[in-house]
Amino acid sequence: SNLAGAVSGGEIVVIYGTAMGPGSLTQYQPAANGQVGTSLAGTSVYFGNYAAPLLYTSASQIAAIVPYEVSGSAVQVFVQYQGDFSTAIPVSVAQAVPAIFTADLSGKGLAAAINVQNGAYSYNSAAHPANAGDYVSLFLTGTGQTNPASLNGQLTPDLNSVAANVTATVGGKNVTVQYAGGAPGSVAGLTQVNLLIPSGLTAGLVPVVVQVGSVSTQPGITIAVSGK
């Protein structure tokens, strides 16, 4: 969402600062056991006593995944780089803080969504809107623990379902959530939600909201529909 606020176990977060890692951005490479490691190019990130899996690191920006063990109302977050430690920053903790990834990576506007139309796949856009009766796959983070439980840094070939109840609306209409759980082949913390597009929508960009438990995704997210 690119919004500041609470974190939840399994959430993919970005940390901004200085001197947190190497001058050039370094991305993770999965270990032989299929895990995303907690140390990368000399950088480690801690949420309390728990080291976070790292997706990339650089001097000014790090992408980490909040460990599933994080609980309580707040946690101290700090970065270690080549033996030096940052100041610990208190961050609020919630069971879920769901957010939808967007097409332009801003956290606003058109969702990064995939249409499933008669077995064919296409990126959802104004040029390729979803029809009534199609499924659309959204990608989220911050949806909390899964059932069965996911492991920190685990690549997810299995379809672990979000433990909390997941509902959604498209264009203000309640829709069927066909699946809400780990995105196959991706790291634990990336959630895929498949929605059935209802009839009766006006053609164009319509709002989409996913609710995990009692918490909704960020406002202003849309998908393209044909109205057919």
Side-chain angles (χ1 to χ4, degrees), residues 78-156:
F78 61 93
V79 176
Q80 180 184 13
Y81 179 57
Q82 294 186 342
D84 293 327
F85 291 83
S86 72
T87 299
I89 304 296
V91 178
S92 298
V93 175
Q95 287 191 331
V97 281
I100 299 172
F101 286 96
T102 60
D104 66 0
L105 309 181
S106 70
K108 301 176 182 178
L110 186 68
I114 295 176
N115 302 322
V116 183
Q117 299 168 317
N118 298 320
Y121 298 87
S122 62
Y123 289 108
N124 182 266
S125 67
H128 297 96
N131 303 318
D134 293 340
Y135 283 97
V136 169
S137 296
L138 305 176
F139 299 91
L140 291 78
T141 193
T143 56
Q145 187 54 279
T146 60
N147 185 21
S150 294
L151 302 177
N152 295 325
Q154 177 187 35
L155 299 182
T156 57

Side-chain angles (χ1 to χ4, degrees), residues 206-218:
V206 297
V208 58
V209 178
V210 177
Q211 188 166 309
V212 179
S214 61
V215 187
S216 297
T217 50
Q218 77 269 37

